[in-house]
Amino acid sequence: MPLPRAPVVVEASAPSSIANLGCLFDLAAMAVNHARDLVRVRVRRGEGLTVKSLDPSVPGGERNTAHGAALAVLRKAGLSASDVRVEIEVAKGVEPGVGLGSSGATAAAAAYALNEALGSPLSTAELVEAAGEGEAVAAGTPHYDNVAASLLGGVAVVVSRSPLRVVRLEPPEGLLVVLAVPRGAVEVPGERKTEFFRGVLPSHVTLSEAVEQCSAAAEFLVGLMLGDLEALGRAVSRGGVVEASRGRLIRGYWEVKRRALESGALGVNIAGAGPSVFALAREGEARAVAEAVREAFAEAGVEAEVRVLRPEPVGARVERKVQ
Amino acid sequence: MPLPRAPVVVEASAPSSIANLGCLFDLAAMAVNHARDLVRVRVRRGEGLTVKSLDPSVPGGERNTAHGAALAVLRKAGLSASDVRVEIEVAKGVEPGVGLGSSGATAAAAAYALNEALGSPLSTAELVEAAGEGEAVAAGTPHYDNVAASLLGGVAVVVSRSPLRVVRLEPPEGLLVVLAVPRGAVEVPGERKTEFFRGVLPSHVTLSEAVEQCSAAAEFLVGLMLGDLEALGRAVSRGGVVEASRGRLIRGYWEVKRRALESGALGVNIAGAGPSVFALAREGEARAVAEAVREAFAEAGVEAEVRVLRPEPVGARVERKVQ
C-alpha cells in the first residue's frame, strides 16, 4: 500500500468499557461514558515504532497495548515497523486496573488512529482483531470484548471468535450503569490483574452449566434487542461459573449484589475481570442502587468509589488530523 | 377452581418442530409445517385420566406424553385426576422417531386442549412447563424446546430453564427448511431414541467450548432478530460438542453437511436428537440443497426421505370446542 508522502498526525480517542456484562464472558462489552483515552499517532518516512506513555503509572514501549495494536495494524496493512516510522503518544483518560477496559481503550484508540493515518486500509473486523492483539499485551491472551466496545461504542458482541465477527448493538434508552470500584477488596498483583482473574477460572464446566450460560446469552440478546430492560438485567446477573469463581475473591461481593438488586438494580455482576462491580439500573433507580452498593461494601470493610455512568454510543473517533 | 358443569370437549392441534437448531441445544426449536397432532380432550364430572392413542404404533395410557402433560395441567390448575374425569384421544399427524418433535407436539396439543377445557387457568409459561413434563415421558428428562415451539409456533427460545421463561420470535421471511429423514443410518432402539442420543453427550466441556457455544447462541439471536439469514445459518451450523458427539452416529452426516453447504444451504445441523438432518435455505436454493442432501446420503448407502418445509407461525390452537 502507498505510504503517506508527508508526515501525518492523527489523534483518536476511545471510551472506557465494561466487559463480559456478566453472562457473556469474553464475548460482550458495553462502552461507558466514564472517560476516553487519547492516542496521538505520527506516521512519516523512516522506520521504527515507538510508544510513549504520558502517564507515569502506565508503561510505554512494548508493554503498552498501543504497541501490539500498532504492529498488528501495520501487518494487516501489509507493512512492518521497518517500512515506516510510527510515533505514538498515549494520554490516559481511563483509570487502569479497575475493570473499565483501560488497556483496551488504549489499544482501540491506537489501532483506530494508525489505521486513519495510513488511509484506512483495514475493515472494522480487522481493526477489532488488531486492537485485540494489542490488548493481549495486558491480558495475556487476545480477547475482543473490551476493544470491540471501545472501537464501536454501544454494546459490542463477539458472535464468532475464529474467524472474528463482531456486532454492534444500540444500548437501550433510559439505562444507567452504576460502577463501584472497591479499594483493597482483593489482594492481587496489580499489573497482572487480568491474568490473575483468568487464572481462577475452571478449565471445564458441566454440559448443563454450558447450556445455562447459553440461555443467559439468549436472554441478554433478546432483552437488548427488544428493549426489555428487565430481561437484560436478569441476564446480566447470570454470571455462571465465571462469577462464582471470581465473586469469592472480591470481599463483600455477594452481599453487594443482593443489596443492589433489592434496591432496584436490574442486574448486577463483576465488571470485566474485576474487582469492580457494575449494576444496570433505570434512570429513577440509579441513585438508590449506588447508595446500596456503597453501603454494602462499607459494611464489608471495603471503601468503594461509586459512579453513575451512561452507555456511550460513540466508539473510537478521530479528534484531530494534520497532514 | 370451578369445574365445568356440563361435559366440555376441546380438540386442539399443535405442529411439528425442529429442536436445538444446532447451536441452541435444549434451548430453541422452530415449528415447521410438516404436520400437526390433533388431541381431543373431554372433561366431565367424575374422576380418572385416560389417554387413548388412535395410532397403533404409539402407546396410549401413561406412556403417552399427553398423559404427563394432562396431569401437570391439572396439578397447576389446583386439581388432580381424582377431582375430574378427563378422557383424551390422540390422533398423530407428526411421524414419531424422526426428529420432528412428535411426542412434544402431542404434549403441547394435550396441554393446550385441557387448559382450554378447564377455562384457561394456566399462563403460557405454565403451559410450556406442563407440556415439558409430558415430554419427559418420552425423553427421560423434561426439556422445553420442542414443546415451546409446538405451543407458540415460530421460533421458541428458552431464555431461562429455572424458573422457566420462553420467548417466541418470528421466523424470518423467505426461509425454508430442508429436512432429511435417513432410514437405517443409525442403529438405535427406536422407542428410547431420544434417551440414546442424550446418552452419547459428554458430561463436561471446556470453558472455551462453552464460550464458543455462547457466541454461536449470540450469533443465532442477532441473525434471527435482524433478519440476517447468513448469520442465522452460520450460527445453526455451529453445533459444538453436541453435534460432534451425535454426528458420528449418523452414517454420512459430515459429508451430507459439507455437500449441503456447498450447494447453497445457509446452515446445516442435526434435527432435535437426530437422526434427521435439517438445512436452512433461501427460497431459491432449497431444491438444490434437498437434492445434494439426498445424493450425499445415497452415496453413504443411506436412503433418506427429503422434504422442503416452511417455518410454521401458528402454534397450538383450538380446532373445535363443544360445551
Side-chain angles (χ1 to χ4, degrees):
Chain A
M1 58 161 298
L3 288 171
R5 270 161 296 179
V8 178
V9 176
V10 175
E11 284 177 15
S13 71
S16 45
S17 66
I18 294 175
N20 298 348
L21 296 172
C23 61
L24 280 160
F25 173 64
D26 271 4
L27 296 177
M30 180 189 283
V32 287
N33 74 338
H34 163 57
R36 302 178 78 90
D37 274 11
L38 187 67
V39 173
R40 182 173 182 274
V41 170
R42 186 162 181 261
V43 174
R44 58 181 171 91
R45 286 183 185 276
E47 62 178 289
L49 166 63
T50 58
V51 176
K52 182 177 169 190
S53 168
L54 301 182
D55 180 334
S57 75
V58 173
E62 289 183 11
R63 290 170 64 211
N64 192 295
T65 56
H67 193 276
L71 281 183
V73 169
L74 288 175
R75 195 182 65 247
K76 285 171 186 293
L79 296 169
S80 79
S82 56
D83 295 322
V84 63
R85 171 99 187 112
V86 178
E87 295 156 342
I88 297 181
E89 275 182 16
V90 177
K92 289 301 296 176
V94 185
E95 181 182 355
V98 302
L100 278 170
S102 178
S103 57
T106 299
Y112 197 84
L114 178 54
N115 183 55
E116 186 72 21
L118 294 173
S120 300
L122 271 54
S123 69
T124 300
E126 287 172 321
L127 264 184
V128 175
E129 220 158 30
E133 288 185 38
E135 168 74 348
V137 171
T141 49
H143 45 99
Y144 303 100
D145 40 5
N146 278 127
V147 298
S150 288
L151 273 165
L152 307 177
V155 178
V157 182
V158 178
V159 297
S160 168
R161 293 184 295 174
S162 177
L164 186 65
R165 290 192 292 272
V166 177
V167 173
R168 180 204 185 276
L169 297 167
E170 203 61 49
E173 289 290 312
L175 185 72
L176 293 181
V177 181
V178 176
L179 183 84
V181 182
R183 306 295 178 184
V186 62
E187 288 301 322
V188 289
E191 212 175 298
R192 288 286 168 197
K193 195 247 327 173
T194 303
E195 266 186 74
F196 175 83
F197 268 94
R198 290 189 86 83
V200 301
L201 301 178
S203 63
H204 286 72
V205 301
T206 67
L207 183 59
S208 179
E209 286 166 340
V211 171
E212 161 64 17
Q213 217 49 42
C214 284
S215 72
E219 186 163 49
F220 179 93
L221 284 150
V222 166
L224 182 61
M225 296 178 79
L226 298 182
D228 179 342
L229 294 186
E230 302 283 341
L232 184 63
R234 281 193 305 256
V236 154
S237 278
R238 297 164 67 184
V241 296
V242 172
E243 182 185 24
S245 306
R246 291 173 168 178
R248 59 170 168 259
L249 301 177
I250 302 168
R251 197 153 17 121
Y253 175 69
W254 297 104
E255 183 64 9
V256 166
K257 178 165 182 168
R258 194 182 65 74
R259 293 270 288 277
L261 291 170
E262 268 178 19
S263 70
L266 296 158
V268 178
N269 221 303
I270 300 164
S276 293
V277 173
F278 76 101
L280 301 185
R282 294 179 195 278
E283 302 231 349
E285 261 103 36
R287 289 260 141 248
V289 170
E291 203 38 52
V293 167
R294 196 192 330 265
E295 274 178 25
F297 263 128
E299 285 170 24
V302 177
E303 195 185 325
E305 197 179 309
V306 183
R307 311 160 199 200
V308 177
L309 306 173
R310 280 183 190 281
E312 168 60 56
V314 180
R317 68 179 172 213
V318 171
E319 301 287 356
R320 200 170 72 93
K321 187 170 182 175
V322 182
Q323 71 184 113
Chain B
M1 58 160 296
L3 289 169
R5 269 162 298 179
V8 179
V9 176
V10 175
E11 284 178 14
S13 71
S16 45
S17 65
I18 293 175
N20 298 346
L21 297 171
C23 60
L24 280 160
F25 172 64
D26 271 5
L27 295 177
M30 179 189 283
V32 287
N33 73 339
H34 164 58
R36 302 179 78 90
D37 274 11
L38 188 66
V39 172
R40 182 173 182 274
V41 170
R42 185 160 182 263
V43 175
R44 58 184 172 90
R45 289 182 183 277
E47 63 178 288
L49 166 63
T50 58
V51 177
K52 184 178 170 188
S53 168
L54 301 181
D55 181 334
S57 75
V58 172
E62 291 182 9
R63 290 170 63 212
N64 193 293
T65 57
H67 193 276
L71 281 183
V73 170
L74 288 175
R75 194 181 66 249
K76 285 171 187 292
L79 297 169
S80 80
S82 56
D83 295 321
V84 64
R85 172 98 187 112
V86 178
E87 295 157 340
I88 297 180
E89 275 183 14
V90 177
K92 291 300 296 175
V94 185
E95 182 184 354
V98 302
L100 278 170
S102 177
S103 57
T106 299
Y112 197 85
L114 178 54
N115 183 54
E116 185 73 21
L118 295 173
S120 300
L122 271 55
S123 69
T124 301
E126 288 173 319
L127 265 184
V128 174
E129 221 158 29
E133 289 184 38
E135 168 74 348
V137 171
T141 49
H143 47 98
Y144 303 99
D145 41 3
N146 278 125
V147 297
S150 287
L151 273 166
L152 307 177
V155 177
V157 181
V158 178
V159 297
S160 168
R161 293 185 296 173
S162 178
L164 186 65
R165 292 192 291 273
V166 178
V167 173
R168 180 202 185 279
L169 298 167
E170 203 61 47
E173 290 289 310
L175 184 72
L176 293 181
V177 181
V178 176
L179 182 85
V181 181
R183 307 295 179 184
V186 61
E187 287 300 322
V188 288
E191 212 175 297
R192 287 286 167 198
K193 195 248 325 171
T194 302
E195 266 186 72
F196 175 83
F197 267 93
R198 289 189 86 82
V200 301
L201 301 178
S203 64
H204 286 72
V205 302
T206 67
L207 183 59
S208 177
E209 285 166 341
V211 172
E212 160 64 15
Q213 216 51 40
C214 284
S215 73
E219 185 163 50
F220 179 93
L221 284 150
V222 167
L224 182 61
M225 295 178 80
L226 298 181
D228 179 341
L229 294 186
E230 302 283 341
L232 184 63
R234 283 194 304 257
V236 154
S237 278
R238 297 163 66 184
V241 296
V242 172
E243 182 185 25
S245 306
R246 290 172 168 178
R248 58 171 170 258
L249 301 178
I250 302 167
R251 194 153 19 120
Y253 175 68
W254 297 105
E255 181 65 9
V256 166
K257 178 166 183 168
R258 193 182 67 73
R259 293 271 289 276
L261 290 170
E262 269 179 19
S263 71
L266 295 159
V268 178
N269 220 303
I270 299 163
S276 293
V277 172
F278 77 101
L280 301 186
R282 294 178 194 278
E283 301 232 350
E285 260 103 39
R287 289 260 142 249
V289 171
E291 202 40 51
V293 167
R294 197 194 328 266
E295 273 178 27
F297 264 128
E299 284 169 24
V302 175
E303 194 184 326
E305 197 179 310
V306 183
R307 311 159 199 200
V308 178
L309 306 173
R310 282 182 188 281
E312 168 60 54
V314 181
R317 69 180 171 211
V318 171
E319 301 286 357
R320 199 171 71 92
K321 186 169 181 175
V322 182
Q323 70 185 117

